[in-house]
Amino acid sequence: MLDLFRPFNARFRKIARLQHRDFFDGAVETWELAPAETLQYQSSFHLPGQVERIRASVFAPLPDTIEALTRAGLTHEGPTRAWRLENVDLIDGVLYHNGGEYHLHKRKHPLSLGRRPQSRASGVLYETWATNRWFGSWLMDACVAYDLAAGIGQPVTTMPRSMPGAHQAEYETLIGMAPIHLDGDIHFDELVMLDDLANNSHKGGRARALRNTLVRGREPEPVPGVFLLRGQAGDQRLLTNEQELAALLERERGFKVIDPLSVSVDELIDACAAAKAIVGVEGSHLVHGLTVAPEGAAIVPIQPPERVAATLKQQSDRLGQRFGLLVAEGSHDIFHLRSDELLATLDLFD
């Protein structure tokens, strides 16, 4: 009967403002997969005044985001860890253990607390809420964590199976990912979970191995750069003159212009794997390019001033690429970038 009340217990403690229980407390085993270390990453390149345009950030507090985008010198990165847990319930996208919660998906049913899992499983979970929410996070983090999971046991995921031809399904095939896709409410007799957030050299090595896997056997044509169009796909982040900027780079700098939604993963890899620069509005679609672009390539996301993120800077760091900080003018969802600023930023890299 105690299992039935786990979700109620976790929610009641929140409502009553009782001490928060750590989801990972009571783990039967915890261990370190890679140590903490001090690394040196290159600072971003940018025009004067770009940092001053930043008014708000996502995923981290504004001071931390700016520091991550501009820091130079030594940086401390934490360890990669794992926990082995017993008797964990997954109900409506939320894991419950020891009176704590760990969210993997947004709840769909407000009355889900009274449900009891009818299926049982064990395995190694390699996903997070972020990797389930954004395709780019899935590609840059879940696909890199998959090897960790496979080295411990059977990888499992709550992500639904993608339709054949979808980008996710294509990547899984190319990488050789074969997780068990879980569906519905699950009781885990044993569940291993990973903390793979730290941008340490172990994660960097796995990111490079992923790039090598995706590029192996191909002969991509070297190009000055690729502009990956965002358009109005996903959460609204509209660069009002995106088409004009893309056409400018195609005409004056020899860039390829690609709409990721209209091509296959193979076409994206072939276009980006030998590109000198990857440019486009900040977002998941750029991760297609970052994941396979060569070491030393310039990664230049065009960021809205009220939604600046350092996520892609972290990925470019682990792949040995150079990050260009370029902030447009406008709001968090509608913004504009002067063409001369784009060209001048790319000139800093050249």
Side-chain angles (χ1 to χ4, degrees), residues 231-309:
Q232 300 191 45
D235 299 337
Q236 180 164 305
R237 217 169 303 150
L238 179 61
L239 176 63
T240 57
N241 60 333
E242 180 184 47
Q243 290 289 343
E244 298 169 30
L245 295 176
L248 173 69
L249 292 185
E250 183 178 39
R251 182 177 63 252
E252 298 194 7
R253 299 294 176 94
F255 272 51
K256 288 186 177 180
V257 178
I258 298 175
D259 177 1
L261 294 178
S262 66
V263 298
S264 68
V265 169
D266 281 325
E267 290 173 294
L268 284 163
I269 294 172
D270 289 339
C272 298
K276 187 177 179 181
I278 304 293
V279 180
V281 175
E282 193 277 336
S284 288
H285 63 298
L286 284 192
V287 183
H288 289 294
L290 272 78
T291 300
V292 297
E295 186 165 347
I299 309 300
V300 187
I302 301 170
Q303 308 217 46
E306 296 178 353
R307 196 196 178 283
V308 173

Side-chain angles (χ1 to χ4, degrees), residues 186-199:
I186 306 286
H187 174 80
F188 292 97
D189 296 317
E190 180 179 279
L191 180 67
V192 175
M193 296 185 65
L194 306 173
D195 176 1
D196 194 30
L197 292 178
N199 210 32

Side-chain angles (χ1 to χ4, degrees), residues 210-223:
L210 174 61
R211 177 171 59 193
N212 292 340
T213 296
L214 293 172
V215 175
R216 186 177 298 118
R218 302 176 189 269
E219 296 182 1
E221 177 189 358
V223 291

Side-chain angles (χ1 to χ4, degrees), residues 55 305-306 328-332 334-336:
R55 298 197 296 272
E306 296 178 353
E329 296 180 285
S331 64
H332 72 284
I334 301 177
F335 44 97
H336 181 92

